[in-house]
Amino acid sequence: MKKTIALMIAFSLLFALPAFAFEAADNTAAEDGTAEAVLHEDHSEIENALNLKNMNAEWTYAEGSDSWTLSVVTAVTNPEIEEQQGVSVCVPGAYVKGIDTDGDGEADVTEGTAVGSLVIDYDAQVTSEYGQVYTAATAPVILNTGAAGYGSAKNTKAGSTYAKQGYINVACGNRGKQDTATTEDGITYYTGDAPSCLVDQKNAARFVKYNILLGNLPGCVDYLISTGGSGGGAHATMFAATSDNPDFYDYEIEAGAVGVYKNADGSYDTCVNIDGEYVEISDGAWGCIAYSAITSLAEGDMTMAFEYFLDTDYGFNTSFQKQTAQYLAAKYMEYINAQELTVSEEAVGFDLDGDGQIGGDVALTIEYDEEAYADTNGYVGTYLDLYLAEFTENLQWYLDNLDYASGWTWFDEEGNALTDNEVMAMTLEEKQLAFLEGRYAGNSRGGSGGGPGGPGGPGGAPSDGGPGGGESAGGPGGDSAEGQSEGESAGAPEGESAEGASEGESAEGGDTMVVGTPDAGTTQASGSHTNSKNYDTFEQMLASYQEDIASVGAGDRYGNNIVELYNPLNYIGAEDTEDPAWIRIVMGAKEGDMSMFASLNLQIAFLNAGTDAIIEWQWDGGHVPSETLGNSFALWVDTMYAEHVDGAAEVVKPEAEKAATNGTAEESTGTDLTSWVNADDLSSVSFSLADAAAYRTSGAAKAIPGFDVMDYGQEDYVFGNYYVDARHWDSYVLKVFEEHADVLSELFNAE
């Protein structure tokens, strides 16, 4: 049952703004578009406090990676949980002449550890491994979003993996679900609910951009890239999707962020004083690479139910689960059709209307005809045509790039590992056939199921690894797993070491999640036949749903519905949002944590907003898959830089180096796809919508489609409030329960 707090908490204590009383500032737009403002004492107090030159910051040089790393400092002036609202930065050594320890602007220390300010060399250049050239003024800034399972993350030092690429790397802590804090009177309350985690990441970005503008840090404020895996992937996506949207400003101001202040008339001032000039600071992203983005939650239950229900042979554990999934699937069709979605065929690269040409806009709809389309339980339509086209294209890409496979073990039809000579002699077509028949053991990481952001590393992958036996966290060079030193892999991109600790140090990399994985014996487990352990009757559960969702709808202390705040689809393309230039979302096609429809919806929204949006559904990947087959995090950053920045160097993916030796796995771990995929032409494979659905559900790990529909766990805890740590929040599920109570009540906990 939900945990509650017996002590009543005074609203004057809980809902008060920080100690800073913000006065009015004139923030108007001049004819030339520049921002003008009047500096007030309150603003200068925050800006002075968060100026690195005033913070006695400690820097440490690591010779092996040629990088300088900032010890953790506070990102805000009014942290609620200090150990979770800090920031650390790692910068390439090439950009740094040394540390100024006496304030004269000269480098006094060039190695070891010193307290002082960076002396930046703006003439120095770093050429990345893909040929992109960066300087201290043009270097991209990488913001790692932790938040495994939407949980909290402790402050850690930024890792040095990206130093060789010329990037600035940022690590930040964040508040998360089930956190508690204590008032001055000793009263404990729940905190960390939405949007605290996202706000802490925005505040860290503001801190870094402010100090770049001051000349305290190298990097370009215009090229910030958010990245993370699982819950971190969700927040990386939401960070990019909500760039500069004022819905989050009050929360940023409450924490004491730099560069966002409230005026007396209720408007906001987002300028800072840089040497007497007022410069606007953005809290958003230029680009994003998200791995297994567990968002949007708002329609997550429906998307999962719909995808499961497309498979007519999927074995639901109970009649209640199956019936709920059927109702949710119908609700999802209603939801999608109400969105009146369209997409440009040229943007997605598919002929969706069947006219033989790629051009023009196509309406995306779902249709239902139970008799005509019995193999998908009646569902068809252009929206599903796009889903199938993306799936087909992603499999074809995977097959076409198998020459990049490194460290794989290939097997013959009898299950015997090939010799090194046989592997050297393999043609691409032979590898493609072996892959389709599952005759391989890959080395990609990411779990094949499990809860989003499960125990393991801060990237959020489950600890049981994936098809290649990888362990711990996956993702984009996020923090390294607890106890690992630099250079050890924690599910980072293939061929890259995990992030987190500076050289010679280990990193805790954030907390593991408390609840939410579908463990054996819980109502979330794939083998569970209990619909709920929290409620004896359907009527009890329904009443709890109604009460909880009413309380969520009533709004938080700022009058906001926090579920709506955490729905990126509400912000992509919105009038008050600055959309990113590009985004790439990588999902494991075998993961059971989120439906592929969720990332499809994000792509559609971003494309329609003018963002260069790419989704990858990695056929060899589970939850939080690693980069594979010649792709890498740095390759994508450099490629996007080339495409979106004038004067940037052209980037070309290196040619594959053919494997000279076979791997050492003793048996194959691949999935036999031949029952789903038509491979008569290996250059143009195909499969049906029903086959795609069957492939997806084969790795399902949830007892009920979606996120903890009945019992509390996982992301439910991010939608609590000061009094309770969890509330039901899915209004679509509630509608199904209310509309079909007569049927569902008879099935509830009946098996």
Side-chain angles (χ1 to χ4, degrees):
M1 300 295 288
K2 290 188 288 185
K3 304 169 191 171
T4 58
I5 298 177
L7 296 173
M8 294 299 293
I9 306 171
F11 277 75
S12 60
L13 288 174
L14 289 176
F15 300 153
L17 287 174
F20 298 99
F22 297 103
E23 298 179 1
D26 179 19
N27 183 24
T28 58
E31 290 184 2
D32 62 359
T34 60
E36 297 178 350
V38 177
L39 182 67
H40 288 76
E41 187 66 27
D42 299 313
H43 298 185
S44 63
E45 184 175 352
I46 292 177
E47 291 168 19
N48 288 334
L50 297 179
N51 183 333
L52 265 175
K53 287 187 177 179
N54 302 329
M55 299 181 76
N56 293 320
E58 181 180 273
W59 290 91
T60 300
Y61 180 72
E63 183 177 1
S65 56
D66 185 22
S67 64
W68 285 92
T69 301
L70 173 69
S71 61
V72 175
V73 296
T74 184
V76 293
T77 59
N78 190 36
E80 184 180 40
I81 305 178
E82 292 185 14
E83 61 269 24
Q84 295 172 197
Q85 292 175 265
V87 64
S88 173
V89 183
C90 180
V91 306
Y95 301 151
V96 180
K97 296 179 180 179
I99 306 299
D100 174 15
T101 61
D102 56 14
D104 64 356
E106 300 294 327
D108 305 309
V109 176
T110 58
E111 60 183 9
T113 298
V115 174
S117 302
L118 293 181
V119 179
I120 300 174
D121 184 352
Y122 287 98
D123 294 323
Q125 294 183 340
V126 175
T127 302
S128 75
E129 64 180 301
Y130 301 105
Q132 198 59 265
V133 180
Y134 300 108
T135 69
T138 64
V141 178
I142 313 300
L143 177 71
N144 294 284
T145 51
Y150 281 66
S152 59
K154 293 181 180 178
N155 303 330
T156 61
K157 281 192 174 182
S160 58
T161 294
Y162 302 137
K164 65 182 179 182
Q165 309 294 351
Y167 310 156
I168 312 303
N169 194 37
V170 179
C172 62
N174 64 261
R175 292 166 291 173
K177 67 183 186 187
Q178 296 178 290
D179 274 337
T180 58
T182 306
T183 68
E184 293 180 356
D185 293 344
I187 299 175
T188 299
Y189 61 94
Y190 287 111
T191 185
D193 49 283
S196 298
C197 179
L198 179 58
V199 165
D200 289 340
Q201 293 159 0
K202 287 175 176 286
N203 291 344
R206 286 189 177 278
F207 174 91
V208 171
K209 290 183 179 182
Y210 172 56
N211 280 285
I212 289 174
L213 292 172
L214 288 171
N216 296 332
L217 293 171
C220 183
V221 296
D222 294 328
Y223 303 138
L224 186 141
I225 299 160
S226 58
T227 187
S230 191
H235 283 84
T237 303
M238 290 189 290
F239 184 97
T242 62
S243 295
D244 300 321
N245 193 284
D247 283 0
F248 301 89
Y249 286 171
D250 283 334
Y251 306 93
E252 296 175 51
I253 292 169
E254 180 180 345
V258 66
V260 56
Y261 316 108
K262 196 161 191 176
N263 303 323
D265 63 0
S267 62
Y268 298 96
D269 176 5
T270 56
C271 292
V272 291
N273 185 348
I274 305 296
D275 297 328
E277 295 185 7
Y278 290 95
V279 181
E280 190 169 4
I281 291 185
S282 164
D283 66 14
W286 169 66
C288 172
I289 301 181
Y291 299 81
S292 292
I294 306 302
T295 188
S296 164
L297 298 179
E299 72 274 7
D301 290 309
M302 291 192 299
T303 59
M304 190 74 85
F306 187 77
E307 196 165 38
Y308 283 17
F309 201 70
L310 287 175
D311 179 13
T312 58
D313 294 324
Y314 180 71
F316 293 92
N317 291 333
T318 70
S319 298
F320 179 87
Q321 292 174 15
K322 183 176 182 178
Q323 190 64 69
T324 301
Q326 180 177 349
Y327 290 145
L328 283 171
K331 186 66 66 177
Y332 187 62
M333 179 179 70
E334 176 185 320
Y335 164 82
I336 287 296
N337 291 339
Q339 304 305 306
E340 298 183 347
L341 298 174
T342 62
V343 70
S344 164
E345 286 187 328
E346 187 174 3
V348 295
F350 305 122
D351 175 16
L352 298 175
D353 57 13
D355 65 358
Q357 300 180 24
I358 296 179
D361 296 337
V362 174
L364 300 177
T365 61
I366 301 175
E367 300 171 21
Y368 181 79
D369 188 327
E370 186 176 8
E371 293 185 4
Y373 303 101
D375 61 339
T376 54
N377 272 323
Y379 291 105
V380 71
T382 51
Y383 176 81
L384 294 173
D385 291 341
L386 177 59
Y387 169 85
L388 181 59
E390 288 285 4
F391 242 122
T392 305
E393 182 183 65
N394 277 279
L395 176 57
Q396 190 64 59
W397 178 92
Y398 212 90
L399 293 171
D400 291 345
N401 284 269
L402 283 172
D403 275 342
Y404 286 94
S406 174
W408 288 31
T409 306
W410 299 94
F411 297 85
D412 62 22
E413 294 179 356
E414 285 71 43
N416 302 309
L418 301 181
T419 66
D420 292 346
N421 288 336
E422 288 173 327
V423 169
M424 289 182 64
M426 287 182 78
T427 65
L428 176 60
E429 290 76 14
E430 288 172 332
K431 290 178 182 177
Q432 291 173 327
L433 184 59
F435 179 83
L436 291 170
E437 293 176 354
R439 295 188 284 107
Y440 66 94
N443 65 354
S444 63
R445 294 178 182 271
S448 58
S463 57
D464 61 350
E471 297 178 353
S472 202
D479 296 332
S480 60
E482 184 172 2
Q484 289 179 309
S485 59
E486 184 182 53
E488 294 183 306
S489 178
E494 185 176 49
E496 301 177 21
S497 61
E499 283 297 321
S502 296
E503 186 174 15
E505 298 179 357
S506 62
E508 184 171 294
D511 295 341
T512 56
M513 44 184 280
V514 180
V515 297
T517 54
D519 300 321
T522 73
T523 56
Q524 302 167 53
S526 59
S528 173
H529 288 263
T530 301
N531 294 316
S532 174
K533 291 185 177 179
N534 282 2
Y535 304 99
D536 295 326
T537 67
F538 177 85
E539 288 71 24
Q540 288 178 344
M541 184 183 68
L542 178 59
S544 179
Y545 254 89
Q546 292 169 330
E547 179 182 357
D548 282 350
I549 291 176
S551 68
V552 171
D556 66 357
R557 60 193 180 280
Y558 295 116
N560 294 320
N561 181 318
I562 60 177
V563 177
E564 294 299 315
L565 286 178
Y566 257 33
N567 184 350
L569 297 175
N570 289 337
Y571 294 96
I572 300 168
E575 182 178 353
D576 294 333
T577 300
E578 185 69 29
D579 294 301
W582 59 273
I583 185 170
R584 172 175 173 248
I585 300 175
V586 184
M587 307 291 288
K590 296 203 299 185
E591 67 176 283
D593 296 272
M594 197 66 173
S595 166
M596 297 298 103
F597 288 117
S599 52
L600 183 70
N601 292 341
L602 290 168
Q603 183 194 35
I604 294 168
F606 275 118
L607 287 175
N608 288 335
T611 295
D612 183 356
I614 298 168
I615 52 175
E616 294 179 17
W617 295 340
Q618 193 181 112
W619 279 76
D620 196 32
H623 189 56
V624 192
S626 293
E627 297 283 5
T628 190
L629 300 184
N631 275 352
S632 74
F633 180 85
L635 175 61
W636 276 97
V637 171
D638 287 359
T639 299
M640 291 298 101
Y641 194 89
E643 292 186 8
H644 293 275
V645 178
D646 291 339
E650 182 180 357
V651 174
V652 178
K653 183 177 179 179
E655 292 291 332
E657 295 182 9
K658 199 160 188 177
T661 59
N662 204 13
T664 58
E666 296 182 356
E667 59 183 2
S668 62
T669 58
T671 301
D672 186 348
L673 305 177
T674 55
S675 63
W676 296 310
V677 177
N678 180 353
D680 292 340
D681 180 359
L682 289 171
S683 66
S684 182
V685 296
S686 63
F687 44 93
S688 68
L689 178 62
D691 289 332
Y695 170 79
R696 282 288 299 131
T697 61
S698 66
K702 295 287 185 179
I704 184 72
F707 290 95
D708 313 313
V709 172
M710 276 73 70
D711 292 341
Y712 298 97
Q714 205 57 290
E715 283 76 16
D716 287 335
Y717 285 86
V718 82
F719 297 131
N721 60 19
Y722 286 107
Y723 305 100
V724 295
D725 59 345
R727 291 182 292 181
H728 295 110
W729 49 266
D730 193 325
S731 59
Y732 297 105
V733 172
L734 176 58
K735 289 178 182 177
V736 165
F737 286 169
E738 290 178 333
E739 293 170 4
H740 304 283
D742 55 339
V743 174
L744 293 175
S745 61
E746 295 296 323
L747 301 175
F748 184 71
N749 278 348
E751 299 177 37

